[in-house]
Amino acid sequence: MDSCQPCEKGFRCPGGMNHAICPTGSYQPEPSQPKCLSCPAGRYQTNPGQDSCTVCPADSFCPERSENPIECGEGRFSSEGQSTCASCGQFQEFDAESNVCVCQESFINEDGKCTCDSGKTLLDGECKLCEDGRFKNHTGTNSCDICDRRVMHGAFETINGTDKTSAASCACGKGKFQDPRNPQSDTPEGNCEGCMNLNLPEGVKCDDTIGLTLGTLPLNDGYWRSSSQSDKIVKCEIDASCVRTSPGDSCTIGHTGPICSVCTEGYNKNAVEVCKPCSSAGVSIGFYALLTVLSITTLYFVLRKIFGKEQLTVANVSKEIQKVTADDKHWSKRLKTKAKILTSFYQIVSKLPSTLSVQYPDFYRGFTTAVNSVFNFNAIGLISVGCFLPRGMYSFYGSFLMTTVTPIVLSLFLFLVTVKQKRNLDPYAANQLTSKRFSLFYGFTYLIFASTSTMSFTTFLCTTYGDDKTEYLIADRSIDCNSDFHKNFKLLSIFMILVYPIGITALYSFELWKHKEGIMDAQKRDNDQNIQHIVFLWRDYRPEFWWYEIYECFRRLSFTGMLVFFEPGSPPQLCFSMILALVSSLMYAYNQPFEKTEENTLAQISSVSIFLTLLAGILITLKENLSEEFSAQLGALLVIVNTLVFAMVGAGVLFKPIFKIITKFNEKHIHDAPLKSMGPEVAYSVDLFIDYFKRLVESNTNEAGWKPLDVKDWSGKKKKVKEWLEETGAKADWRCAGGDGPFDQARIKYVVDADIETMLREVEGINNRHNMSAGSFVYVIEKTKDWRQVYHAIKLPWPLRQRDMIYTEHIRREQEGDVLICSRSSEELNDTTSELSVKAGRMRAYMRIGGYRLRSLEGGRTEIVYLIDIDLGGSFTIGYLHRYLAQRYLKGVVDVHRKVAEASKREGGFSEPPPPLPIILTPFEMVTKGGGAKAKAMATNPMFAGMDKGNTSVEDSLNIELGRMIKKKASKSDNDENNIVVL
């Protein structure tokens, strides 16, 4: 080669023959250069012989003479062409797009620094939300604040959906609510209080909700509080008035005021105290019903005046009333006492729901509202008066004036009418008119006594509700009891208390005390003109209970008026009312004050019904949130209990016509035999009566129409009856004494293996006479050789009422040796001793005819014929009860006398009357439905002669006392307790 060649780019030529390629990490951009250049910092060259170096990529660094880029590594970064890597700040990372360091995810940039936002804290290298029960209201990586320490005690939860950036995110947990009012709390937002610590925890819903506050505390339906900042929960009287349609509502639509008990404009309360819209249906149901009744009544009187024979004047109306009151058989007379008992009972029970503030079932409350409208003369309660009258006219004040002033106006009107009518009458007629008007006035005061007394006391019955310090009138919670108007109104109430509860009671007491001697004279009081003007006050009671209407005033006043002075629904009020009901029941049961037994029973049942109603009130109070099914059942049961009294009266009215229908189906006996019932001439002659008895016991079928009592006619198992008849040889028959009707006379003929004198002593010994009645006692009022008067108490099987009777027994020996012992009821003593039956809870029975004929037979035997004809009272006859009672009497006589004969034969005869069987009950056992060992032991020794009263038991003393009472009424004997025979 003749010449030198130029050195190429990427090569170096130091001179001479050397020609070398530039190695990696270097380059040579010019030709004919003696050396290669190193890649500067920030660039690199991977291949040899290159005329340039490559820019170092991002996130890598290239020192001088780099052959390859070097990665920066974790936590470091670089841009392109860098010879070194740089590091981002704390919690930063490099953003290649922006070519800058940025904060890591979950961090925020604050003044060039990465940190955690409010509501978050640094945890495991990340910014995370504060834990539940914590918050942070500033940025930074420090810990979150604890709600329990910084905000409110007990706050260990955070409201769902919040970012926990403020104290407002702190929340109370389930079952708690925030109460900011605690003055002792050292946290600014108060404490978390448990819902179970509220006065009525069942009234709130806080079991499943977090973050409840006092203001947002939701109530269950049926509960109320005075404001959103009140923690005093109150049970609504009517659940339906406290049903919320939206969270902000406190009452059902149409309701307002304390416990949602006041109706808003355009609403009026219905029968169950629920406010309903004033629609046409809401007004017309009660209003148009009353309007219809008034229209029919008006039309009736108009037609009477136009077409009647007499003009409709006060005098004619008074005449019609006099006709009714003069007729003792008129239905109004028979129902008067029962009506008084019903009125008193329903006036009490109709006021119990409102007086006790017990939430009885709606069905029962509707019932009591209707009853109150009738028996407390509050018919306006059936009309939606609030829909068409101004507020003042249908408020408590309007009702008060209507209830208390109206009776005074009517009484004044009655007085003026009476004064005017007396001007044209003679003194006797004027006195008669005055007496009748006074009687009418007393009846009127009896009817309005309960309602006016309750209304008078109600004015003072005020209370507060929840945290509301206002005292509201319980009868009308739209009235502030501390208002000046109400304070002045109390003065009128005090006057009405003096007029009604005090005035009427004092008037009754004065009149009854003044005339008590005349009232207690049972023989003359019905015709005593001096006490006829107060007949309404004493006619229903037995003479010795002349004071009972005064007690009735206090009893009714206690139930309807005095209960208002207790806190409504409180345990003392409920207990006091139950004690009243119990005492009332005992008073009726012990005293039996009414003339008729059924009226005493009615009064006792009414008291028991009140007691059961009060008992149900206590159960309702103790058991909150009754299920709908249980509430409906309880309401129906209470209505049944409360209508039982009315049903008894209705049954009593309908019993006779129903019984007449039933008796049509009873077995009848028709015969045309000549010997029928006794005539008047026989009844009033002892000798003729005994002759008639003899003919009757010896008569046959043709003479008296007797019909044999076959086995099929006897009660019990027919096989045993047949065996008994065959064993005893007894033959029984019966008949209708009148010849056409039910069986009323029965007789039985049998033979006993004992001589006639032994059986005569037994039959004359009254101790065993009637032990076939399974419990009786007998008292000899008066006795001679040939006759005696006897009081006999008879125990009948349940459910029949126990009976008693007074009869005269005659004894006559016939020439042929027969002995006749025949009995009949004593008319003379029946009327004078009838109150003893009532006192002992019995019904008076009448022995029309009964007795024995004893005839001596050969071999020392005796043939006995026993005849019985007893009117059991009421509406029962032997024909109706023949399968039980008639056979029991007949069979009992035979069995007792056979045992007497066996004992006589075994002992060789008796010198004294044989002892009675030990199964007979004493009077005490009959009264108490029980008995004791001492009483049964005394049955073996029926005579009480010489008894030391200091050692007698209660049962023995009662037996003697009953005997004394009968003896006193009879006023015919000076005999001592030896006359008493207890079986």
Side-chain angles (χ1 to χ4, degrees):
M1 183 174 296
D2 294 333
S3 60
C4 293
Q5 297 292 324
C7 194
E8 301 171 348
K9 295 178 178 179
F11 288 83
R12 64 183 176 86
C13 298
M17 294 297 293
N18 294 329
H19 177 257
I21 190 169
C22 290
T24 58
S26 64
Y27 74 101
Q28 181 49 260
E30 299 293 336
S32 302
Q33 296 297 322
K35 59 179 181 180
C36 294
L37 301 176
S38 297
C39 289
R43 291 177 178 269
Y44 72 95
Q45 181 52 260
T46 304
N47 300 316
Q50 300 298 318
D51 60 359
S52 64
C53 292
T54 305
V55 176
C56 193
D59 293 329
S60 299
F61 70 95
C62 299
E64 184 179 3
R65 202 175 180 83
S66 293
E67 296 179 356
N68 290 292
I70 303 171
E71 293 183 359
C72 291
E74 186 176 359
R76 300 172 67 82
F77 73 94
S78 69
S79 58
E80 290 182 350
Q82 298 298 318
S83 62
T84 60
C85 289
S87 298
C88 287
Q90 190 178 21
F91 312 125
Q92 291 181 333
E93 60 185 7
F94 183 74
D95 183 10
E97 293 182 2
S98 61
N99 203 31
V100 295
C101 286
V102 296
C103 294
Q104 296 176 3
E105 186 179 359
S106 79
F107 289 86
I108 63 170
N109 189 325
E110 185 178 49
D111 298 331
K113 294 182 178 181
C114 293
T115 187
C116 292
D117 199 357
S118 57
K120 295 182 180 180
T121 187
L122 183 63
L123 186 65
D124 296 332
E126 297 180 11
C127 289
K128 295 183 179 180
L129 283 174
C130 297
E131 297 175 344
D132 287 341
R134 294 171 178 256
F135 76 99
K136 195 173 73 170
N137 57 5
H138 58 277
T139 60
T141 57
N142 55 332
S143 300
C144 298
D145 294 321
I146 300 175
C147 295
D148 175 58
R149 298 177 182 175
R150 298 290 303 275
V151 182
M152 55 184 167
H153 289 310
F156 300 109
E157 298 289 345
T158 307
I159 299 175
N160 293 331
T162 62
D163 53 11
K164 306 180 182 180
T165 59
S166 68
S169 62
C170 294
C172 299
K174 295 180 180 180
K176 296 183 178 181
F177 68 96
Q178 178 188 355
D179 186 356
R181 305 169 308 161
N182 192 340
Q184 299 179 350
S185 176
D186 57 358
T187 53
E189 299 299 328
N191 297 335
C192 287
E193 299 291 346
C195 294
M196 293 304 296
N197 295 331
L198 291 169
N199 62 314
L200 288 178
E202 67 274 10
V204 297
K205 302 176 183 177
C206 65
D207 291 339
D208 302 321
T209 306
I210 295 176
L212 290 177
T213 66
L214 182 62
T216 62
L217 191 63
L219 300 182
N220 285 314
D221 291 341
Y223 292 86
W224 174 90
R225 57 178 175 162
S226 58
S227 70
S228 61
Q229 295 306 308
S230 172
D231 64 348
K232 294 295 187 292
I233 312 300
V234 182
K235 184 77 170 69
C236 295
E237 285 188 356
I238 309 298
D239 285 346
S241 64
C242 299
V243 178
R244 290 150 192 84
T245 56
S246 63
D249 293 336
S250 59
C251 298
T252 307
I253 297 176
H255 293 259
T256 188
I259 59 174
C260 305
S261 61
V262 180
C263 293
T264 58
E265 192 71 24
Y267 285 78
N268 191 77
K269 290 184 179 180
N270 61 9
V272 293
E273 300 294 307
V274 176
C275 297
K276 294 295 184 180
C278 290
S279 61
S280 57
V283 176
S284 61
I285 292 176
F287 176 71
Y288 292 131
L290 181 61
L291 185 63
T292 301
V293 173
L294 293 177
S295 300
I296 294 174
T297 304
T298 303
L299 179 62
Y300 168 76
F301 283 112
V302 169
L303 294 176
R304 279 285 304 270
K305 186 165 184 174
I306 296 175
F307 300 105
K309 295 181 180 180
E310 297 181 359
Q311 291 185 348
L312 191 66
T313 63
V314 174
N316 289 335
V317 172
S318 179
K319 185 187 297 183
E320 291 297 323
I321 294 176
Q322 291 179 24
K323 289 180 180 179
V324 171
T325 55
D327 184 7
D328 289 333
K329 295 183 180 181
H330 195 274
W331 63 268
S332 63
K333 271 290 188 68
R334 291 186 285 109
L335 291 179
K336 184 173 70 68
T337 305
K338 297 178 178 63
K340 285 182 65 176
I341 297 173
L342 281 179
T343 300
S344 174
F345 168 68
Y346 284 120
Q347 283 180 341
I348 292 173
V349 296
S350 65
K351 290 293 185 181
L352 289 181
S354 58
T355 303
L356 301 177
S357 292
V358 174
Q359 190 174 351
Y360 284 98
D362 287 347
F363 182 63
Y364 180 68
R365 292 182 69 92
F367 167 78
T368 56
T369 299
V371 168
N372 181 57
S373 301
V374 175
F375 289 92
N376 281 314
F377 306 98
N378 186 30
I380 197 171
L382 294 175
I383 309 171
S384 301
V385 293
C387 292
F388 55 87
L389 289 179
R391 172 65 188 168
M393 295 185 64
Y394 72 91
S395 67
F396 169 79
Y397 299 130
S399 299
F400 180 93
L401 294 174
M402 178 72 70
T403 302
T404 58
V405 176
T406 301
I408 297 176
V409 173
L410 293 177
S411 299
L412 290 175
F413 175 75
L414 180 65
F415 172 76
L416 294 175
V417 170
T418 303
V419 170
K420 181 179 179 181
Q421 291 179 333
K422 286 175 62 177
R423 293 176 181 176
N424 301 322
L425 299 176
D426 59 77
Y428 177 79
N431 289 334
Q432 290 289 99
L433 179 63
T434 301
S435 178
K436 289 182 173 61
R437 293 297 162 80
F438 263 109
S439 181
L440 179 62
F441 170 74
Y442 284 123
F444 177 65
T445 58
Y446 179 89
L447 295 176
I448 55 95
F449 178 78
S451 58
T452 54
S453 299
T454 302
M455 186 65 76
S456 301
F457 287 119
T458 300
T459 309
F460 301 91
L461 187 58
C462 303
T463 189
T464 59
Y465 296 92
D467 289 335
D468 190 348
K469 303 303 181 182
T470 305
E471 284 194 330
Y472 294 98
L473 185 69
I474 292 180
D476 186 345
R477 296 181 180 90
S478 65
I479 295 176
D480 181 359
C481 291
N482 293 320
S483 65
D484 293 337
F485 183 83
H486 190 77
K487 290 179 180 178
N488 294 329
F489 203 84
K490 289 181 179 179
L491 298 177
L492 178 60
S493 297
I494 293 174
F495 172 75
M496 292 304 178
I497 290 174
L498 295 175
V499 172
Y500 291 110
I502 296 178
I504 292 177
T505 304
L507 179 62
Y508 287 4
S509 302
F510 172 77
E511 289 281 22
L512 291 171
W513 176 264
K514 179 181 178 181
H515 299 97
K516 68 174 184 176
E517 297 298 332
I519 297 172
M520 294 177 67
D521 190 341
Q523 300 298 323
K524 299 180 180 179
R525 68 176 189 168
D526 288 337
N527 298 316
D528 188 349
Q529 295 302 315
N530 293 325
I531 60 175
Q532 294 308 304
H533 68 290
I534 58 171
V535 67
F536 184 86
L537 304 180
W538 57 261
R539 174 65 63 82
D540 308 317
Y541 305 107
R542 293 192 284 134
E544 60 267 35
F545 292 101
W546 58 270
W547 50 270
Y548 218 80
E549 197 62 58
I550 303 173
Y551 162 76
E552 277 292 295
C553 285
F554 284 103
R555 186 183 76 91
R556 296 166 68 201
L557 188 61
S558 298
F559 275 115
T560 58
M562 293 182 181
L563 287 180
V564 302
F565 292 105
F566 291 88
E567 181 183 351
S570 64
Q573 188 192 48
L574 291 170
C575 291
F576 180 73
S577 58
M578 290 196 70
I579 291 173
L580 287 178
L582 183 60
V583 171
S584 176
S585 300
L586 294 176
M587 285 286 287
Y588 282 128
Y590 178 77
N591 291 315
Q592 301 285 317
F594 294 102
E595 289 278 5
K596 297 182 179 179
T597 303
E598 61 267 24
E599 291 163 358
N600 287 306
T601 303
L602 184 66
Q604 292 175 47
I605 292 178
S606 68
S607 293
V608 173
S609 297
I610 294 174
F611 182 84
L612 293 176
T613 303
L614 293 169
L615 181 61
I618 291 181
L619 294 177
I620 292 172
T621 302
L622 295 177
K623 184 178 181 181
E624 298 288 348
N625 302 321
L626 301 179
S627 66
E628 291 186 6
E629 181 180 1
F630 180 78
S631 180
Q633 293 173 350
L634 181 61
L637 181 61
L638 285 174
V639 171
I640 292 173
V641 169
N642 286 174
T643 54
L644 181 62
V645 181
F646 187 82
M648 286 185 60
V649 176
V653 173
L654 298 176
F655 183 79
K656 286 190 175 181
I658 293 175
F659 182 77
K660 287 182 180 180
I661 297 174
I662 293 176
T663 53
K664 297 294 183 181
F665 300 96
N666 283 348
E667 185 177 0
K668 296 179 65 175
H669 184 215
I670 301 175
H671 65 87
D672 58 356
L675 186 58
K676 292 187 172 63
S677 301
M678 291 183 294
E681 69 282 355
V682 174
Y684 291 104
S685 170
V686 174
D687 290 334
L688 292 179
F689 170 70
I690 298 175
D691 291 341
Y692 174 82
F693 175 80
K694 180 180 179 181
R695 289 182 59 200
L696 189 59
V697 297
E698 295 179 349
S699 62
N700 55 33
T701 301
N702 293 331
E703 293 172 334
W706 293 104
K707 180 179 181 295
L709 258 170
D710 297 328
V711 174
K712 63 180 179 62
D713 297 319
W714 289 79
S715 60
K717 296 182 179 180
K718 306 307 177 187
K719 181 179 180 181
K720 289 188 176 181
V721 171
K722 182 178 180 181
E723 293 175 352
W724 180 83
L725 290 173
E726 292 175 350
E727 178 185 354
T728 60
K731 294 183 179 180
D733 43 20
W734 56 356
R735 71 167 193 154
C736 169
D740 186 0
F743 293 96
D744 52 14
Q745 290 182 348
R747 69 177 181 179
I748 190 166
K749 180 187 294 187
Y750 53 98
V751 176
V752 295
D753 193 12
D755 61 78
I756 191 171
E757 293 302 324
T758 298
M759 298 313 300
L760 179 59
R761 285 196 301 270
E762 154 58 20
V763 174
E764 283 185 318
I766 201 167
N767 53 335
N768 262 341
R769 181 67 45 78
H770 293 291
N771 60 3
M772 73 290 293
S773 64
S776 63
F777 78 94
V778 178
Y779 176 75
V780 179
I781 300 173
E782 184 178 3
K783 60 183 177 180
T784 67
K785 180 180 178 181
D786 299 325
W787 67 274
R788 55 187 168 189
Q789 286 182 329
V790 178
Y791 176 82
H792 183 190
I794 309 169
K795 182 167 184 168
L796 296 180
W798 187 90
L800 302 180
R801 182 177 295 278
Q802 310 310 306
R803 262 61 169 182
D804 63 2
M805 57 185 173
I806 294 180
Y807 54 85
T808 303
E809 189 174 75
H810 303 277
I811 304 173
R812 190 172 79 181
R813 290 180 178 267
E814 301 295 292
Q815 292 182 354
E816 59 272 21
D818 293 350
V819 179
L820 301 175
I821 303 176
C822 49
S823 308
R824 59 179 175 178
S825 286
S826 174
E827 298 293 339
E828 179 182 359
L829 290 179
N830 268 327
D831 294 336
T832 59
T833 61
S834 59
E835 66 269 21
L836 294 176
S837 298
V838 177
K839 182 71 175 179
R842 302 187 181 96
M843 181 177 291
R844 181 54 55 89
Y846 296 90
M847 180 181 287
R848 290 188 284 253
I849 188 171
Y852 301 83
R853 190 213 64 182
L854 282 68
R855 174 171 293 175
S856 181
L857 300 179
E858 295 180 355
R861 297 183 302 160
T862 304
E863 179 188 78
I864 302 176
V865 179
Y866 174 65
L867 174 71
I868 188 68
D869 181 355
I870 297 179
D871 179 3
L872 294 174
S875 301
F876 293 103
T877 64
I878 289 182
Y880 184 71
L881 298 174
H882 70 279
R883 290 192 178 276
Y884 189 82
L885 298 180
Q887 289 80 22
R888 190 176 185 184
Y889 264 81
L890 300 180
K891 187 175 182 297
V893 169
V894 176
D895 288 341
V896 168
H897 289 169
R898 290 183 67 214
K899 289 181 180 180
V900 169
E902 292 174 1
S904 172
K905 190 172 184 180
R906 184 172 58 251
E907 301 294 337
F910 285 109
S911 59
E912 297 293 336
L917 298 176
I919 62 171
I920 308 304
L921 302 180
T922 67
F924 183 83
E925 291 175 299
M926 295 177 65
V927 172
T928 63
K929 307 296 187 295
K934 177 75 177 292
K936 295 179 180 178
M938 290 298 293
T940 61
N941 185 8
M943 308 306 290
F944 284 77
M947 178 177 290
D948 182 4
K949 297 179 180 60
N951 296 325
T952 59
S953 67
V954 175
E955 296 102 355
D956 306 333
S957 300
L958 179 57
N959 294 339
I960 296 175
E961 186 59 30
L962 288 173
R964 282 202 189 99
M965 293 168 63
I966 300 166
K967 177 178 173 182
K968 180 178 178 182
K969 290 294 180 181
S971 301
K972 285 180 175 289
S973 175
D974 293 327
N975 294 338
D976 59 12
E977 285 84 7
N978 293 337
N979 279 343
I980 303 174
V981 177
V982 176
L983 305 184

